[in-house]
Short mmCIF file of all heavy atoms in Angstrom, two decimals:
data_model
loop_
_atom_site.label_atom_id
_atom_site.label_comp_id
_atom_site.label_asym_id
_atom_site.label_seq_id
_atom_site.Cartn_x
_atom_site.Cartn_y
_atom_site.Cartn_z
N MET A 13 12.92 10.11 -16.74
CA MET A 13 12.69 9.14 -15.68
C MET A 13 12.26 7.82 -16.29
O MET A 13 11.46 7.79 -17.20
CB MET A 13 11.60 9.61 -14.73
CG MET A 13 11.97 10.78 -13.89
SD MET A 13 10.62 11.15 -12.73
CE MET A 13 11.44 12.34 -11.74
N SER A 14 12.72 6.76 -15.70
CA SER A 14 12.26 5.45 -16.15
C SER A 14 10.93 5.13 -15.51
O SER A 14 10.52 5.76 -14.55
CB SER A 14 13.31 4.39 -15.80
OG SER A 14 13.41 4.25 -14.40
N GLY A 15 10.23 4.11 -16.02
CA GLY A 15 8.89 3.77 -15.56
C GLY A 15 8.79 3.43 -14.09
O GLY A 15 7.74 3.56 -13.50
N GLY A 16 9.88 3.02 -13.44
CA GLY A 16 9.82 2.63 -12.04
C GLY A 16 10.13 3.75 -11.07
O GLY A 16 10.10 3.54 -9.87
N ASP A 17 10.49 4.94 -11.57
CA ASP A 17 10.84 6.04 -10.68
C ASP A 17 9.64 6.52 -9.89
O ASP A 17 8.50 6.48 -10.35
CB ASP A 17 11.41 7.21 -11.48
CG ASP A 17 12.81 6.93 -12.01
OD1 ASP A 17 13.49 6.05 -11.45
OD2 ASP A 17 13.22 7.59 -12.97
N GLN A 18 9.91 6.97 -8.68
CA GLN A 18 8.88 7.48 -7.79
C GLN A 18 9.25 8.91 -7.39
O GLN A 18 10.42 9.27 -7.40
CB GLN A 18 8.79 6.61 -6.53
CG GLN A 18 8.44 5.16 -6.78
CD GLN A 18 6.94 4.96 -6.83
OE1 GLN A 18 6.26 5.20 -5.86
NE2 GLN A 18 6.45 4.53 -7.96
N VAL A 19 8.24 9.68 -7.04
CA VAL A 19 8.45 11.02 -6.50
C VAL A 19 7.80 11.10 -5.13
O VAL A 19 6.86 10.37 -4.84
CB VAL A 19 7.86 12.11 -7.43
CG1 VAL A 19 8.60 12.16 -8.75
CG2 VAL A 19 6.38 11.92 -7.66
N ARG A 20 8.35 11.96 -4.30
CA ARG A 20 7.76 12.18 -2.97
C ARG A 20 6.67 13.22 -3.08
O ARG A 20 6.82 14.26 -3.73
CB ARG A 20 8.82 12.66 -1.99
CG ARG A 20 9.68 11.54 -1.48
CD ARG A 20 10.58 12.05 -0.42
NE ARG A 20 11.70 12.69 -1.11
CZ ARG A 20 12.68 13.32 -0.52
NH1 ARG A 20 12.69 13.45 0.78
NH2 ARG A 20 13.64 13.86 -1.21
N PHE A 21 5.55 12.94 -2.44
CA PHE A 21 4.41 13.86 -2.41
C PHE A 21 4.02 14.01 -0.95
O PHE A 21 3.75 13.03 -0.27
CB PHE A 21 3.25 13.27 -3.22
CG PHE A 21 2.01 14.11 -3.19
CD1 PHE A 21 1.91 15.26 -3.93
CD2 PHE A 21 0.94 13.74 -2.38
CE1 PHE A 21 0.76 16.04 -3.90
CE2 PHE A 21 -0.22 14.50 -2.34
CZ PHE A 21 -0.31 15.66 -3.09
N THR A 22 4.03 15.23 -0.45
CA THR A 22 3.74 15.49 0.96
C THR A 22 2.44 16.27 1.08
O THR A 22 2.25 17.28 0.40
CB THR A 22 4.88 16.28 1.61
OG1 THR A 22 6.10 15.53 1.47
CG2 THR A 22 4.61 16.50 3.09
N ILE A 23 1.57 15.81 1.96
CA ILE A 23 0.35 16.53 2.30
C ILE A 23 0.59 17.19 3.65
O ILE A 23 0.94 16.51 4.63
CB ILE A 23 -0.87 15.60 2.39
CG1 ILE A 23 -1.17 14.99 1.04
CG2 ILE A 23 -2.09 16.36 2.92
CD1 ILE A 23 -2.30 13.98 1.08
N GLN A 24 0.39 18.50 3.72
CA GLN A 24 0.49 19.26 4.96
C GLN A 24 -0.92 19.61 5.40
O GLN A 24 -1.65 20.28 4.67
CB GLN A 24 1.31 20.52 4.75
CG GLN A 24 1.39 21.42 5.97
CD GLN A 24 2.16 20.81 7.12
OE1 GLN A 24 3.18 20.18 6.92
NE2 GLN A 24 1.66 20.98 8.32
N ASN A 25 -1.32 19.15 6.57
CA ASN A 25 -2.66 19.42 7.09
C ASN A 25 -2.62 20.71 7.90
O ASN A 25 -2.31 20.71 9.09
CB ASN A 25 -3.15 18.26 7.95
CG ASN A 25 -4.56 18.48 8.45
OD1 ASN A 25 -5.17 19.51 8.18
ND2 ASN A 25 -5.09 17.52 9.18
N ASP A 26 -2.93 21.82 7.25
CA ASP A 26 -2.96 23.12 7.92
C ASP A 26 -4.35 23.48 8.41
O ASP A 26 -4.60 24.62 8.78
CB ASP A 26 -2.44 24.21 6.97
CG ASP A 26 -0.94 24.13 6.76
OD1 ASP A 26 -0.23 23.62 7.65
OD2 ASP A 26 -0.47 24.54 5.69
N SER A 27 -5.25 22.51 8.41
CA SER A 27 -6.62 22.75 8.89
C SER A 27 -6.67 22.50 10.40
O SER A 27 -5.68 22.09 11.01
CB SER A 27 -7.61 21.82 8.18
OG SER A 27 -7.50 20.50 8.68
N ASN A 28 -7.83 22.74 10.98
CA ASN A 28 -8.02 22.44 12.40
C ASN A 28 -8.74 21.11 12.59
O ASN A 28 -9.25 20.83 13.67
CB ASN A 28 -8.78 23.58 13.09
CG ASN A 28 -10.16 23.79 12.49
OD1 ASN A 28 -10.53 23.14 11.51
ND2 ASN A 28 -10.92 24.71 13.06
N GLN A 29 -8.80 20.29 11.53
CA GLN A 29 -9.46 18.99 11.58
C GLN A 29 -8.48 17.88 11.25
O GLN A 29 -7.58 18.06 10.44
CB GLN A 29 -10.59 18.94 10.55
CG GLN A 29 -11.66 19.98 10.75
CD GLN A 29 -12.71 19.87 9.66
OE1 GLN A 29 -13.30 18.82 9.48
NE2 GLN A 29 -12.91 20.95 8.94
N ASP A 30 -8.66 16.73 11.89
CA ASP A 30 -7.85 15.56 11.55
C ASP A 30 -8.35 14.97 10.23
O ASP A 30 -9.54 15.00 9.93
CB ASP A 30 -7.96 14.49 12.64
CG ASP A 30 -7.32 14.93 13.94
OD1 ASP A 30 -6.50 15.86 13.93
OD2 ASP A 30 -7.64 14.32 14.98
N ILE A 31 -7.43 14.44 9.45
CA ILE A 31 -7.76 13.76 8.21
C ILE A 31 -7.61 12.26 8.46
O ILE A 31 -6.57 11.80 8.90
CB ILE A 31 -6.81 14.22 7.07
CG1 ILE A 31 -7.06 15.70 6.77
CG2 ILE A 31 -7.01 13.36 5.82
CD1 ILE A 31 -6.05 16.31 5.81
N TRP A 32 -8.68 11.53 8.18
CA TRP A 32 -8.69 10.09 8.44
C TRP A 32 -8.48 9.27 7.19
O TRP A 32 -8.09 8.11 7.26
CB TRP A 32 -10.02 9.71 9.09
CG TRP A 32 -10.13 10.16 10.51
CD1 TRP A 32 -10.12 11.45 10.97
CD2 TRP A 32 -10.26 9.35 11.65
NE1 TRP A 32 -10.25 11.47 12.32
CE2 TRP A 32 -10.35 10.20 12.77
CE3 TRP A 32 -10.35 7.97 11.84
CZ2 TRP A 32 -10.48 9.71 14.06
CZ3 TRP A 32 -10.49 7.49 13.13
CH2 TRP A 32 -10.55 8.35 14.23
N TYR A 33 -8.79 9.83 6.03
CA TYR A 33 -8.70 9.09 4.77
C TYR A 33 -8.09 9.98 3.69
O TYR A 33 -8.46 11.15 3.57
CB TYR A 33 -10.08 8.63 4.30
CG TYR A 33 -10.84 7.85 5.34
CD1 TYR A 33 -11.73 8.47 6.20
CD2 TYR A 33 -10.66 6.48 5.46
CE1 TYR A 33 -12.42 7.76 7.16
CE2 TYR A 33 -11.34 5.75 6.42
CZ TYR A 33 -12.22 6.40 7.27
OH TYR A 33 -12.89 5.68 8.23
N VAL A 34 -7.17 9.43 2.92
CA VAL A 34 -6.57 10.12 1.79
C VAL A 34 -6.68 9.22 0.58
O VAL A 34 -6.29 8.05 0.62
CB VAL A 34 -5.09 10.49 2.04
CG1 VAL A 34 -4.44 11.03 0.78
CG2 VAL A 34 -4.96 11.48 3.18
N TYR A 35 -7.22 9.77 -0.49
CA TYR A 35 -7.34 9.05 -1.75
C TYR A 35 -6.63 9.84 -2.84
O TYR A 35 -6.85 11.04 -2.98
CB TYR A 35 -8.81 8.88 -2.14
CG TYR A 35 -9.63 8.22 -1.06
CD1 TYR A 35 -10.39 8.97 -0.17
CD2 TYR A 35 -9.64 6.84 -0.93
CE1 TYR A 35 -11.15 8.36 0.82
CE2 TYR A 35 -10.39 6.21 0.06
CZ TYR A 35 -11.13 6.99 0.94
OH TYR A 35 -11.87 6.38 1.92
N ILE A 36 -5.75 9.18 -3.57
CA ILE A 36 -5.05 9.80 -4.68
C ILE A 36 -5.26 8.89 -5.88
O ILE A 36 -4.94 7.70 -5.83
CB ILE A 36 -3.55 9.97 -4.38
CG1 ILE A 36 -3.37 10.87 -3.15
CG2 ILE A 36 -2.83 10.54 -5.59
CD1 ILE A 36 -1.93 11.00 -2.68
N SER A 37 -5.83 9.45 -6.94
CA SER A 37 -6.21 8.66 -8.10
C SER A 37 -5.73 9.35 -9.37
O SER A 37 -5.85 10.57 -9.49
CB SER A 37 -7.73 8.51 -8.12
OG SER A 37 -8.16 7.85 -9.27
N PRO A 38 -5.21 8.60 -10.33
CA PRO A 38 -4.87 9.22 -11.62
C PRO A 38 -6.10 9.93 -12.20
O PRO A 38 -7.23 9.45 -12.06
CB PRO A 38 -4.46 8.04 -12.50
CG PRO A 38 -4.02 6.99 -11.53
CD PRO A 38 -4.91 7.16 -10.33
N VAL A 39 -5.90 11.09 -12.82
CA VAL A 39 -7.02 11.90 -13.29
C VAL A 39 -7.93 11.16 -14.26
O VAL A 39 -9.12 11.46 -14.34
CB VAL A 39 -6.56 13.23 -13.92
CG1 VAL A 39 -5.92 14.12 -12.89
CG2 VAL A 39 -5.63 13.02 -15.08
N GLU A 40 -7.41 10.17 -14.97
CA GLU A 40 -8.24 9.46 -15.94
C GLU A 40 -9.13 8.38 -15.30
O GLU A 40 -9.99 7.81 -15.96
CB GLU A 40 -7.38 8.83 -17.06
CG GLU A 40 -6.41 7.77 -16.60
CD GLU A 40 -5.05 8.33 -16.15
OE1 GLU A 40 -4.85 9.55 -16.17
OE2 GLU A 40 -4.21 7.51 -15.78
N ASN A 41 -8.95 8.12 -13.98
CA ASN A 41 -9.77 7.13 -13.28
C ASN A 41 -10.99 7.77 -12.65
O ASN A 41 -10.90 8.88 -12.12
CB ASN A 41 -8.97 6.44 -12.17
CG ASN A 41 -8.07 5.36 -12.67
OD1 ASN A 41 -8.08 5.03 -13.84
ND2 ASN A 41 -7.29 4.79 -11.78
N ASP A 42 -12.12 7.06 -12.67
CA ASP A 42 -13.32 7.52 -11.97
C ASP A 42 -13.44 6.89 -10.59
O ASP A 42 -14.38 7.17 -9.86
CB ASP A 42 -14.58 7.16 -12.79
CG ASP A 42 -14.67 7.96 -14.08
OD1 ASP A 42 -14.12 9.08 -14.12
OD2 ASP A 42 -15.27 7.46 -15.04
N TYR A 43 -12.50 6.04 -10.22
CA TYR A 43 -12.53 5.30 -8.96
C TYR A 43 -11.43 5.82 -8.05
O TYR A 43 -10.29 5.95 -8.47
CB TYR A 43 -12.34 3.80 -9.24
CG TYR A 43 -12.27 2.94 -8.03
CD1 TYR A 43 -13.37 2.77 -7.19
CD2 TYR A 43 -11.09 2.28 -7.70
CE1 TYR A 43 -13.31 1.98 -6.07
CE2 TYR A 43 -11.02 1.48 -6.57
CZ TYR A 43 -12.13 1.33 -5.77
OH TYR A 43 -12.06 0.55 -4.65
N TRP A 44 -11.75 6.12 -6.79
CA TRP A 44 -10.77 6.65 -5.87
C TRP A 44 -9.77 5.60 -5.39
O TRP A 44 -8.64 5.92 -5.06
CB TRP A 44 -11.45 7.30 -4.66
CG TRP A 44 -11.98 8.65 -4.98
CD1 TRP A 44 -13.29 9.01 -5.08
CD2 TRP A 44 -11.23 9.82 -5.26
NE1 TRP A 44 -13.39 10.34 -5.42
CE2 TRP A 44 -12.13 10.87 -5.53
CE3 TRP A 44 -9.87 10.11 -5.31
CZ2 TRP A 44 -11.73 12.16 -5.83
CZ3 TRP A 44 -9.46 11.40 -5.63
CH2 TRP A 44 -10.39 12.41 -5.89
N GLY A 45 -10.16 4.37 -5.31
CA GLY A 45 -9.23 3.34 -4.84
C GLY A 45 -9.17 3.27 -3.33
O GLY A 45 -10.05 3.74 -2.62
N GLU A 46 -8.07 2.70 -2.85
CA GLU A 46 -7.90 2.47 -1.41
C GLU A 46 -7.45 3.72 -0.68
O GLU A 46 -6.75 4.57 -1.24
CB GLU A 46 -6.85 1.37 -1.20
CG GLU A 46 -7.22 0.02 -1.79
CD GLU A 46 -8.39 -0.62 -1.07
OE1 GLU A 46 -8.46 -0.56 0.17
OE2 GLU A 46 -9.26 -1.15 -1.77
N ASP A 47 -7.82 3.79 0.59
CA ASP A 47 -7.35 4.85 1.48
C ASP A 47 -5.85 4.66 1.69
O ASP A 47 -5.40 3.59 2.08
CB ASP A 47 -8.09 4.76 2.81
CG ASP A 47 -7.41 5.53 3.92
OD1 ASP A 47 -6.96 6.66 3.66
OD2 ASP A 47 -7.33 4.99 5.04
N LEU A 48 -5.06 5.68 1.42
CA LEU A 48 -3.61 5.57 1.51
C LEU A 48 -3.06 5.76 2.92
O LEU A 48 -1.90 5.44 3.17
CB LEU A 48 -2.95 6.57 0.55
CG LEU A 48 -3.27 6.35 -0.92
CD1 LEU A 48 -2.59 7.40 -1.78
CD2 LEU A 48 -2.84 4.95 -1.36
N LEU A 49 -3.87 6.25 3.85
CA LEU A 49 -3.39 6.39 5.22
C LEU A 49 -3.46 5.07 5.99
O LEU A 49 -2.77 4.90 6.99
CB LEU A 49 -4.20 7.44 5.98
CG LEU A 49 -3.95 8.89 5.62
CD1 LEU A 49 -4.88 9.79 6.42
CD2 LEU A 49 -2.51 9.28 5.83
N GLY A 50 -4.31 4.16 5.52
CA GLY A 50 -4.46 2.90 6.25
C GLY A 50 -4.96 3.17 7.66
O GLY A 50 -5.97 3.83 7.85
N SER A 51 -4.24 2.71 8.67
CA SER A 51 -4.67 2.91 10.06
C SER A 51 -4.11 4.21 10.65
O SER A 51 -4.38 4.52 11.80
CB SER A 51 -4.22 1.72 10.91
OG SER A 51 -2.81 1.61 10.89
N ASP A 52 -3.36 4.98 9.86
CA ASP A 52 -2.81 6.26 10.33
C ASP A 52 -3.86 7.36 10.23
O ASP A 52 -4.83 7.26 9.47
CB ASP A 52 -1.59 6.67 9.51
CG ASP A 52 -0.41 5.75 9.74
OD1 ASP A 52 -0.31 5.14 10.82
OD2 ASP A 52 0.44 5.65 8.83
N ILE A 53 -3.65 8.43 10.98
CA ILE A 53 -4.48 9.63 10.93
C ILE A 53 -3.54 10.80 10.72
O ILE A 53 -2.48 10.88 11.35
CB ILE A 53 -5.28 9.82 12.23
CG1 ILE A 53 -6.26 8.68 12.43
CG2 ILE A 53 -6.01 11.16 12.23
CD1 ILE A 53 -6.92 8.68 13.80
N LEU A 54 -3.91 11.70 9.82
CA LEU A 54 -3.13 12.91 9.59
C LEU A 54 -3.70 14.01 10.47
O LEU A 54 -4.69 14.66 10.14
CB LEU A 54 -3.18 13.29 8.11
CG LEU A 54 -2.40 14.51 7.66
CD1 LEU A 54 -0.94 14.44 8.08
CD2 LEU A 54 -2.51 14.68 6.16
N SER A 55 -3.10 14.18 11.64
CA SER A 55 -3.59 15.13 12.62
C SER A 55 -3.45 16.56 12.14
O SER A 55 -2.57 16.87 11.32
CB SER A 55 -2.82 14.98 13.94
OG SER A 55 -2.96 13.69 14.45
N ALA A 56 -4.30 17.43 12.66
CA ALA A 56 -4.22 18.85 12.36
C ALA A 56 -2.80 19.34 12.65
O ALA A 56 -2.23 19.02 13.69
CB ALA A 56 -5.24 19.63 13.18
N GLY A 57 -2.22 20.08 11.70
CA GLY A 57 -0.88 20.63 11.87
C GLY A 57 0.26 19.70 11.50
O GLY A 57 1.42 20.10 11.57
N SER A 58 -0.03 18.48 11.09
CA SER A 58 1.04 17.53 10.75
C SER A 58 1.09 17.29 9.24
O SER A 58 0.26 17.78 8.49
CB SER A 58 0.87 16.22 11.50
OG SER A 58 -0.32 15.57 11.11
N SER A 59 2.07 16.51 8.82
CA SER A 59 2.20 16.19 7.39
C SER A 59 2.40 14.70 7.22
O SER A 59 2.73 13.98 8.17
CB SER A 59 3.38 16.96 6.78
OG SER A 59 4.59 16.58 7.38
N TYR A 60 2.20 14.24 5.99
CA TYR A 60 2.33 12.82 5.65
C TYR A 60 2.92 12.73 4.26
O TYR A 60 2.51 13.46 3.37
CB TYR A 60 0.95 12.15 5.69
CG TYR A 60 0.97 10.66 5.82
CD1 TYR A 60 0.89 10.04 7.05
CD2 TYR A 60 1.07 9.84 4.69
CE1 TYR A 60 0.89 8.66 7.17
CE2 TYR A 60 1.07 8.47 4.80
CZ TYR A 60 0.99 7.88 6.05
OH TYR A 60 1.01 6.52 6.16
N GLU A 61 3.87 11.84 4.08
CA GLU A 61 4.55 11.71 2.80
C GLU A 61 4.18 10.41 2.10
O GLU A 61 4.11 9.36 2.73
CB GLU A 61 6.07 11.75 3.02
CG GLU A 61 6.85 11.75 1.74
CD GLU A 61 8.33 11.89 2.00
OE1 GLU A 61 8.77 13.00 2.36
OE2 GLU A 61 9.04 10.88 1.86
N PHE A 62 3.94 10.51 0.80
CA PHE A 62 3.63 9.37 -0.05
C PHE A 62 4.67 9.25 -1.13
O PHE A 62 5.32 10.23 -1.50
CB PHE A 62 2.26 9.57 -0.73
CG PHE A 62 1.12 9.74 0.21
CD1 PHE A 62 0.72 11.00 0.60
CD2 PHE A 62 0.44 8.65 0.70
CE1 PHE A 62 -0.35 11.16 1.46
CE2 PHE A 62 -0.62 8.80 1.56
CZ PHE A 62 -1.01 10.06 1.95
N GLN A 63 4.80 8.07 -1.70
CA GLN A 63 5.62 7.84 -2.89
C GLN A 63 4.65 7.56 -4.04
O GLN A 63 3.79 6.70 -3.92
CB GLN A 63 6.55 6.64 -2.68
CG GLN A 63 7.57 6.83 -1.59
CD GLN A 63 8.64 7.84 -1.96
OE1 GLN A 63 9.07 7.92 -3.10
NE2 GLN A 63 9.07 8.62 -0.99
N LEU A 64 4.79 8.31 -5.13
CA LEU A 64 3.91 8.16 -6.28
C LEU A 64 4.73 8.05 -7.55
O LEU A 64 5.84 8.58 -7.64
CB LEU A 64 3.00 9.38 -6.43
CG LEU A 64 2.01 9.68 -5.32
CD1 LEU A 64 1.34 11.03 -5.58
CD2 LEU A 64 0.98 8.59 -5.23
N THR A 65 4.15 7.39 -8.54
CA THR A 65 4.70 7.41 -9.88
C THR A 65 4.39 8.77 -10.48
O THR A 65 3.27 9.28 -10.31
CB THR A 65 4.07 6.30 -10.73
OG1 THR A 65 4.30 5.04 -10.09
CG2 THR A 65 4.64 6.27 -12.13
N PRO A 66 5.32 9.43 -11.14
CA PRO A 66 5.04 10.75 -11.72
C PRO A 66 3.80 10.70 -12.62
O PRO A 66 3.58 9.73 -13.34
CB PRO A 66 6.29 11.05 -12.54
CG PRO A 66 7.37 10.26 -11.88
CD PRO A 66 6.69 8.99 -11.41
N GLY A 67 2.98 11.74 -12.54
CA GLY A 67 1.77 11.81 -13.35
C GLY A 67 0.84 12.88 -12.82
O GLY A 67 1.17 13.63 -11.92
N ALA A 68 -0.37 12.91 -13.37
CA ALA A 68 -1.40 13.86 -12.95
C ALA A 68 -2.43 13.11 -12.10
O ALA A 68 -2.93 12.06 -12.50
CB ALA A 68 -2.08 14.47 -14.17
N TYR A 69 -2.73 13.65 -10.93
CA TYR A 69 -3.59 12.97 -9.97
C TYR A 69 -4.69 13.89 -9.45
O TYR A 69 -4.52 15.11 -9.40
CB TYR A 69 -2.77 12.50 -8.76
CG TYR A 69 -1.80 11.40 -9.08
CD1 TYR A 69 -0.50 11.69 -9.47
CD2 TYR A 69 -2.16 10.07 -8.98
CE1 TYR A 69 0.41 10.68 -9.77
CE2 TYR A 69 -1.27 9.05 -9.27
CZ TYR A 69 0.01 9.37 -9.67
OH TYR A 69 0.90 8.37 -9.97
N ASP A 70 -5.78 13.27 -9.01
CA ASP A 70 -6.80 13.93 -8.22
C ASP A 70 -6.57 13.51 -6.77
O ASP A 70 -6.10 12.40 -6.51
CB ASP A 70 -8.21 13.50 -8.65
CG ASP A 70 -8.59 14.02 -10.02
OD1 ASP A 70 -8.22 15.16 -10.35
OD2 ASP A 70 -9.25 13.28 -10.76
N LEU A 71 -6.92 14.38 -5.84
CA LEU A 71 -6.71 14.13 -4.42
C LEU A 71 -8.01 14.38 -3.67
O LEU A 71 -8.71 15.36 -3.94
CB LEU A 71 -5.61 15.07 -3.90
CG LEU A 71 -5.40 15.14 -2.40
CD1 LEU A 71 -4.77 13.85 -1.89
CD2 LEU A 71 -4.52 16.32 -2.05
N ARG A 72 -8.30 13.50 -2.72
CA ARG A 72 -9.46 13.69 -1.85
C ARG A 72 -9.05 13.35 -0.43
O ARG A 72 -8.38 12.34 -0.20
CB ARG A 72 -10.60 12.77 -2.29
CG ARG A 72 -11.80 12.82 -1.36
CD ARG A 72 -12.88 11.90 -1.80
NE ARG A 72 -13.86 11.76 -0.73
CZ ARG A 72 -15.13 11.50 -0.92
NH1 ARG A 72 -15.59 11.34 -2.16
NH2 ARG A 72 -15.94 11.38 0.09
N VAL A 73 -9.42 14.21 0.52
CA VAL A 73 -9.18 13.92 1.92
C VAL A 73 -10.51 13.97 2.66
O VAL A 73 -11.34 14.84 2.41
CB VAL A 73 -8.15 14.90 2.56
CG1 VAL A 73 -6.78 14.71 1.93
CG2 VAL A 73 -8.58 16.33 2.47
N ASP A 74 -10.71 12.99 3.54
CA ASP A 74 -11.96 12.85 4.27
C ASP A 74 -11.71 12.90 5.77
O ASP A 74 -10.65 12.49 6.25
CB ASP A 74 -12.64 11.51 3.98
CG ASP A 74 -13.17 11.38 2.57
OD1 ASP A 74 -13.01 12.31 1.77
OD2 ASP A 74 -13.76 10.32 2.28
N GLY A 75 -12.74 13.35 6.52
CA GLY A 75 -12.71 13.31 7.97
C GLY A 75 -13.15 11.93 8.46
O GLY A 75 -13.35 11.00 7.69
N SER A 76 -13.32 11.82 9.77
CA SER A 76 -13.67 10.54 10.38
C SER A 76 -15.02 10.02 9.92
O SER A 76 -15.26 8.81 9.94
CB SER A 76 -13.66 10.65 11.91
OG SER A 76 -14.63 11.60 12.33
N ASP A 77 -15.91 10.90 9.45
CA ASP A 77 -17.24 10.49 8.99
C ASP A 77 -17.24 10.10 7.50
O ASP A 77 -18.29 9.85 6.93
CB ASP A 77 -18.24 11.60 9.23
CG ASP A 77 -17.85 12.91 8.56
OD1 ASP A 77 -16.83 12.96 7.85
OD2 ASP A 77 -18.58 13.90 8.76
N GLN A 78 -16.07 10.05 6.90
CA GLN A 78 -15.88 9.70 5.49
C GLN A 78 -16.55 10.68 4.53
O GLN A 78 -16.80 10.35 3.38
CB GLN A 78 -16.31 8.27 5.18
CG GLN A 78 -15.38 7.26 5.85
CD GLN A 78 -15.68 5.84 5.41
OE1 GLN A 78 -16.81 5.38 5.49
NE2 GLN A 78 -14.64 5.16 4.96
N ASN A 79 -16.79 11.90 4.99
CA ASN A 79 -17.25 12.97 4.11
C ASN A 79 -16.03 13.77 3.66
O ASN A 79 -15.13 14.03 4.46
CB ASN A 79 -18.25 13.88 4.82
CG ASN A 79 -19.60 13.21 4.97
OD1 ASN A 79 -20.05 12.50 4.09
ND2 ASN A 79 -20.23 13.43 6.13
N ALA A 80 -16.02 14.17 2.40
CA ALA A 80 -14.88 14.89 1.84
C ALA A 80 -14.68 16.23 2.56
O ALA A 80 -15.61 17.00 2.72
CB ALA A 80 -15.07 15.12 0.36
N LEU A 81 -13.45 16.46 3.01
CA LEU A 81 -13.07 17.76 3.54
C LEU A 81 -12.57 18.65 2.43
O LEU A 81 -12.75 19.85 2.43
CB LEU A 81 -11.97 17.60 4.60
CG LEU A 81 -12.32 16.77 5.82
CD1 LEU A 81 -11.09 16.57 6.68
CD2 LEU A 81 -13.43 17.45 6.62
N GLU A 82 -11.93 18.01 1.43
CA GLU A 82 -11.36 18.75 0.30
C GLU A 82 -11.11 17.78 -0.84
O GLU A 82 -10.77 16.64 -0.63
CB GLU A 82 -10.05 19.40 0.73
CG GLU A 82 -9.56 20.49 -0.16
CD GLU A 82 -10.43 21.74 -0.10
OE1 GLU A 82 -10.77 22.21 0.98
OE2 GLU A 82 -10.77 22.23 -1.19
N THR A 83 -11.32 18.24 -2.07
CA THR A 83 -10.96 17.46 -3.25
C THR A 83 -10.19 18.36 -4.19
O THR A 83 -10.31 19.57 -4.14
CB THR A 83 -12.20 16.90 -4.00
OG1 THR A 83 -13.10 17.95 -4.25
CG2 THR A 83 -12.86 15.81 -3.22
#
């Protein structure tokens, strides 16, 4: 793959809680960066697709109170 290639990454919310914030950060970063959902909400039972540069990432999803639901 060339440096500009992207891959699709889908998060499936199989929980009974809505996800309000999604952070995806390269594993070598200590900073989560911006929320990737923006003004969207990942409702319980739905999915959301992102475009990422291939690599190794950490993932964090938060509820409406900005507390981590899963990392």
Side-chain angles (χ1 to χ4, degrees):
M13 291 184 171
S14 66
D17 288 339
Q18 299 274 298
V19 294
R20 282 186 279 176
F21 177 77
T22 302
I23 295 176
Q24 176 67 40
N25 183 358
D26 288 333
S27 75
N28 61 356
Q29 301 178 56
D30 293 341
I31 295 172
W32 288 63
Y33 306 94
V34 172
Y35 305 97
I36 300 174
S37 175
V39 294
E40 63 272 1
N41 280 356
D42 291 333
Y43 176 66
W44 282 110
E46 298 293 318
D47 163 43
L48 298 179
L49 287 178
S51 61
D52 292 333
I53 297 171
L54 181 53
S55 301
S58 64
S59 63
Y60 199 94
E61 185 176 287
F62 301 93
Q63 296 290 323
L64 297 173
T65 303
Y69 292 90
D70 290 323
L71 170 71
R72 175 181 167 152
V73 294
D74 291 1
S76 62
D77 57 4
Q78 292 188 307
N79 286 322
L81 299 173
E82 197 69 48
T83 52

